Amino acid sequence: MMRNIKLTIEYDGARYLGWQRLGNSDKTIQGKIEHVLKQMTGEEIEIIGSGRTDAGTHAHGQVANFKSNTAMDPKEIIEFVNRYLPRDIVVKMVEDVPERFHARYNAVGKKYSYYVWNESIPTAFERNYSFQFPQQLDIDLMNEACQKLIGKHDFIGFSALKKTKKSTVRTIDELSIEREGQLLHFTFVGDGFLYKMVRIIMGTLLEIGSGKRSITTIDDIFEQKVRSEAGETVPAQGLFLDEVYY
Amino acid sequence: MMRNIKLTIEYDGARYLGWQRLGNSDKTIQGKIEHVLKQMTGEEIEIIGSGRTDAGTHAHGQVANFKSNTAMDPKEIIEFVNRYLPRDIVVKMVEDVPERFHARYNAVGKKYSYYVWNESIPTAFERNYSFQFPQQLDIDLMNEACQKLIGKHDFIGFSALKKTKKSTVRTIDELSIEREGQLLHFTFVGDGFLYKMVRIIMGTLLEIGSGKRSITTIDDIFEQKVRSEAGETVPAQGLFLDEVYY
C-alpha cells in the first residue's frame, strides 16, 4: 500500500548548496536525503519540502514528505536514514500521515531564527551560525521597528522577488529580539515568508539599530513597495528554519 | 624592549591534530598561531601553552604566552591575528604581562567541560561538540560518584600516564552535572588534570550511570592505582578547556 511519510529534519547547512536538489549535484540537502531513501526502498523517491532554504542556511525543524511502498516502520526508517546520512543532516522524526498531506501546500506558518554576533572580536564556535555585526545597536529602537513590521502587510519591498501575480501579503505574528551574551537572537513567526524576506528585514533592522537609516523607512518601504528602499540582505549563515506549522 | 604577551584563545578543535606543534605540520593550533605571529613580528616566535589539548578537543579559554620585541599595542595585535588566523581559531584577549609569567608553570587550576548527547537520535549541530551516549543514565548515582572523586586523591588510575616519578596527586574542587535538554554538561574544576584524566573519569561515570559498573569501583581504582580498572576513554570531541586560573 502506498504510504505518505512525513520527515522532520535538522541540518547544518554550512557545507551545502541549499535545500533544493540541483540536477545530479550531491551538495544539496534534498539530494542527500533522496539518495538514502532510494537505497532504503529501492524506489524512485522524490521528497517535498515545506520550502527551500538557501545555501548556508540551517534547519532545526524542516519538514518534508514522500510517497513509498516500504514496509519498514517509522523506527526502522529513522535508524536507517540516520545511519547513512552525512552527520550534518539528521532526521529527528518519521510519521505516517494521511495521503493528502503535502509539506508545502499544507504549511500554515513558519518560525525562523536569525543570530547576530554583536562584538568586534569574532567567534570560533558561532562562525557558521551567526553574522558578525560589530557596531553598537540600539535594541529599543529595533524593537520599535519590529512593532511596525508585525501584522498583515504587503512585504514585496522586503523580498528579492521579481514582479509576481501571486499575493505578496503576509502576516508576521511575532518578531522579537533576545540577547544571549554577545549573540542577538531574532525570532520570526508568520504565516509565510517571501523569498529572502527574513534576511532583508534583518538587514533593515541592523541599519536602523546602528543609525544608518531612520525607523520611518519601514513605512516608506511598505508604501513604495520597492526592494531598493530596504536594507542589505544579511548572509544566509545566521538563518535557521526552526519550525513549520500545519 | 622584550615584552611578554599573554593570549587567551578560543578554538574549534574539530579540524586539528591538537594544540601541540608537530614538526612542520600545519594542522595544529600552536602551529597556526605561531605562523601568524611570525608574519606579524618578523621574529621567530614560540608560544607556550598552559597545556596540550588532544586532537578534536576544543577551547573557550586556552592561555599562552610569547616573547617579542613588537611595538604593536594589544588592540593592533588582536586585530592582526584574528584577520589572518583561520576562522575556527580566535584570539579573545591580548595582554602585556610581567617578564616571568609562564602560561604552563604559573597555572594554578583549570576548568573543563564535557558534553554528552544523551539520546538515540543524533544531533546535527552538536556532532563535533559532544559524545553521543544513548543509554539511560542514573544522574543521582553519577552525582554520588562525583562526590567520591571530588577532593585530593592520587588519580594515577584515572590517567593514561606511564609510570612517572612526578606526583600524580591532584585536587578536584568541582565536578558537577547539568542537564540542558538532551545535552548533559559535566564541569570539572581542579588544580590540574593528568593526561586523559577528564576523559577517563567521564568514561567511568557513564559506565556507572548506565549500570555497567558499580559505584564502588571508584574506591577500588583509588586503592589499586591501575588504569585498567577504570572506564573507557570517551572521545576528545566532547571536551572543552574553558578556563585557566593563575
Side-chain angles (χ1 to χ4, degrees):
Chain A
M1 199 196 71
M2 186 63 91
R3 293 159 66 186
N4 190 9
I5 298 172
K6 178 183 172 193
L7 306 175
T8 305
I9 308 153
E10 174 180 275
Y11 49 84
D12 177 341
R15 293 196 309 135
Y16 297 97
L17 297 175
W19 169 263
Q20 197 185 27
R21 179 173 21 85
L22 299 163
N24 288 317
S25 166
D26 206 20
K27 296 303 284 175
T28 68
I29 320 285
Q30 184 186 4
K32 288 285 183 194
I33 296 171
E34 286 180 349
H35 180 74
V36 171
L37 291 175
K38 282 175 196 171
Q39 287 188 301
M40 187 184 84
T41 60
E43 301 165 345
E44 275 304 309
I45 300 283
E46 190 179 338
I47 63 175
I48 296 160
S50 75
R52 306 170 188 181
T53 55
D54 291 327
T57 293
H58 315 287
H60 282 120
Q62 169 69 294
V63 173
N65 71 295
F66 68 98
K67 304 286 175 80
S68 169
N69 286 306
T70 180
M72 291 168 75
D73 68 33
K75 197 167 173 302
E76 292 171 316
I77 294 173
I78 207 168
E79 279 172 13
F80 185 99
V81 295
N82 286 329
R83 188 172 315 125
Y84 292 104
L85 278 171
R87 291 174 61 233
D88 47 12
I89 304 175
V90 174
V91 173
K92 292 298 217 183
M93 224 190 307
V94 173
E95 299 160 274
D96 276 281
V97 284
E99 190 195 336
R100 302 194 50 179
F101 175 83
H102 188 286
R104 189 164 74 253
Y105 298 155
N106 294 149
V108 296
K110 282 184 183 167
K111 180 180 186 175
Y112 284 95
S113 286
Y114 197 90
Y115 293 90
V116 170
W117 184 254
N118 189 211
E119 200 186 37
S120 62
I121 294 169
T123 159
F125 292 105
E126 302 301 330
R127 70 191 188 283
N128 292 329
Y129 312 113
S130 66
F131 168 50
Q132 190 184 6
F133 190 87
Q135 289 101 298
Q136 218 187 315
L137 289 165
D138 182 339
I139 304 289
D140 289 343
L141 189 65
M142 291 167 84
N143 272 318
E144 248 183 81
C146 290
Q147 291 309 312
K148 284 179 177 280
L149 290 157
I150 291 170
K152 189 173 176 177
H153 304 281
D154 183 348
F155 283 97
I156 182 74
F158 290 99
S159 95
L161 280 173
K162 311 271 177 226
K163 264 200 173 151
T164 171
K165 284 182 181 167
K166 291 185 191 165
S167 168
T168 49
V169 174
R170 295 290 184 275
T171 301
I172 295 184
D173 300 302
E174 183 190 337
L175 208 182
S176 59
I177 311 171
E178 211 179 331
R179 183 174 280 285
E180 303 164 359
Q182 297 97 325
L183 211 56
L184 293 174
H185 176 187
F186 294 75
T187 303
F188 292 76
V189 178
D191 62 356
F193 294 87
L194 305 173
Y195 185 49
K196 295 202 176 163
M197 177 171 147
V198 174
R199 289 162 59 192
I200 294 169
I201 290 179
M202 275 305 310
T204 308
L205 288 175
L206 291 175
E207 292 179 14
I208 290 169
S210 58
K212 202 179 153 189
R213 66 167 63 221
S214 142
I215 190 167
T216 59
T217 58
I218 291 182
D219 309 297
D220 300 342
I221 299 162
F222 280 143
E223 220 164 276
Q224 298 178 26
K225 302 185 196 307
V226 189
R227 194 264 163 266
S228 60
E229 300 295 317
E232 302 264 338
T233 308
V234 295
Q237 74 208 29
L239 185 60
F240 289 72
L241 172 54
D242 286 332
E243 201 172 342
V244 185
Y245 305 107
Y246 291 97
Chain B
M1 199 196 72
M2 185 63 89
R3 292 159 67 187
N4 190 10
I5 297 172
K6 178 183 171 193
L7 306 174
T8 305
I9 309 153
E10 174 180 276
Y11 49 84
D12 177 340
R15 294 195 307 134
Y16 297 96
L17 296 175
W19 170 264
Q20 197 186 27
R21 178 171 24 82
L22 299 164
N24 288 317
S25 167
D26 206 19
K27 297 303 284 175
T28 68
I29 320 285
Q30 184 187 4
K32 289 285 184 196
I33 297 171
E34 286 179 350
H35 179 75
V36 172
L37 292 175
K38 282 175 198 172
Q39 288 188 300
M40 186 184 84
T41 59
E43 302 164 345
E44 273 305 308
I45 300 282
E46 190 180 337
I47 63 175
I48 296 160
S50 75
R52 305 171 189 180
T53 55
D54 291 327
T57 293
H58 315 286
H60 282 119
Q62 169 68 294
V63 173
N65 71 296
F66 68 98
K67 304 286 174 78
S68 169
N69 287 305
T70 180
M72 291 169 76
D73 69 31
K75 198 168 172 300
E76 292 170 317
I77 295 173
I78 207 168
E79 279 173 14
F80 186 98
V81 296
N82 287 329
R83 188 172 314 123
Y84 292 104
L85 278 172
R87 291 174 62 233
D88 47 11
I89 304 176
V90 174
V91 173
K92 292 298 216 184
M93 223 190 309
V94 173
E95 300 160 275
D96 276 282
V97 285
E99 190 194 336
R100 301 195 50 179
F101 175 83
H102 189 285
R104 189 164 73 254
Y105 298 155
N106 294 149
V108 296
K110 281 183 183 166
K111 180 180 185 174
Y112 284 95
S113 286
Y114 197 91
Y115 292 90
V116 170
W117 184 255
N118 189 210
E119 200 185 38
S120 62
I121 294 168
T123 159
F125 293 105
E126 302 301 330
R127 69 191 189 282
N128 292 328
Y129 312 114
S130 65
F131 168 49
Q132 189 183 7
F133 190 86
Q135 288 100 298
Q136 217 187 316
L137 289 166
D138 182 339
I139 305 290
D140 289 343
L141 190 64
M142 291 167 83
N143 272 318
E144 248 183 79
C146 290
Q147 291 309 312
K148 283 179 177 281
L149 290 157
I150 290 170
K152 189 173 176 177
H153 303 280
D154 183 349
F155 282 98
I156 182 74
F158 290 99
S159 94
L161 281 173
K162 310 271 176 224
K163 264 200 173 153
T164 171
K165 283 183 181 167
K166 291 186 190 164
S167 169
T168 49
V169 174
R170 294 291 184 276
T171 301
I172 294 183
D173 299 302
E174 184 189 337
L175 207 182
S176 59
I177 311 171
E178 211 179 330
R179 182 175 281 284
E180 302 165 359
Q182 298 96 326
L183 211 56
L184 293 174
H185 176 187
F186 294 76
T187 303
F188 291 76
V189 178
D191 61 358
F193 293 88
L194 305 173
Y195 186 48
K196 295 201 176 164
M197 178 170 146
V198 173
R199 288 162 61 192
I200 293 169
I201 289 180
M202 275 305 309
T204 308
L205 287 175
L206 292 174
E207 291 178 15
I208 290 170
S210 59
K212 203 179 152 188
R213 67 167 64 220
S214 143
I215 190 168
T216 59
T217 58
I218 292 182
D219 309 297
D220 300 341
I221 299 162
F222 280 144
E223 220 165 275
Q224 298 178 27
K225 303 185 195 306
V226 190
R227 194 262 167 269
S228 59
E229 299 296 316
E232 302 264 339
T233 307
V234 294
Q237 74 206 31
L239 185 61
F240 289 71
L241 172 54
D242 285 332
E243 201 172 342
V244 185
Y245 304 107
Y246 291 97

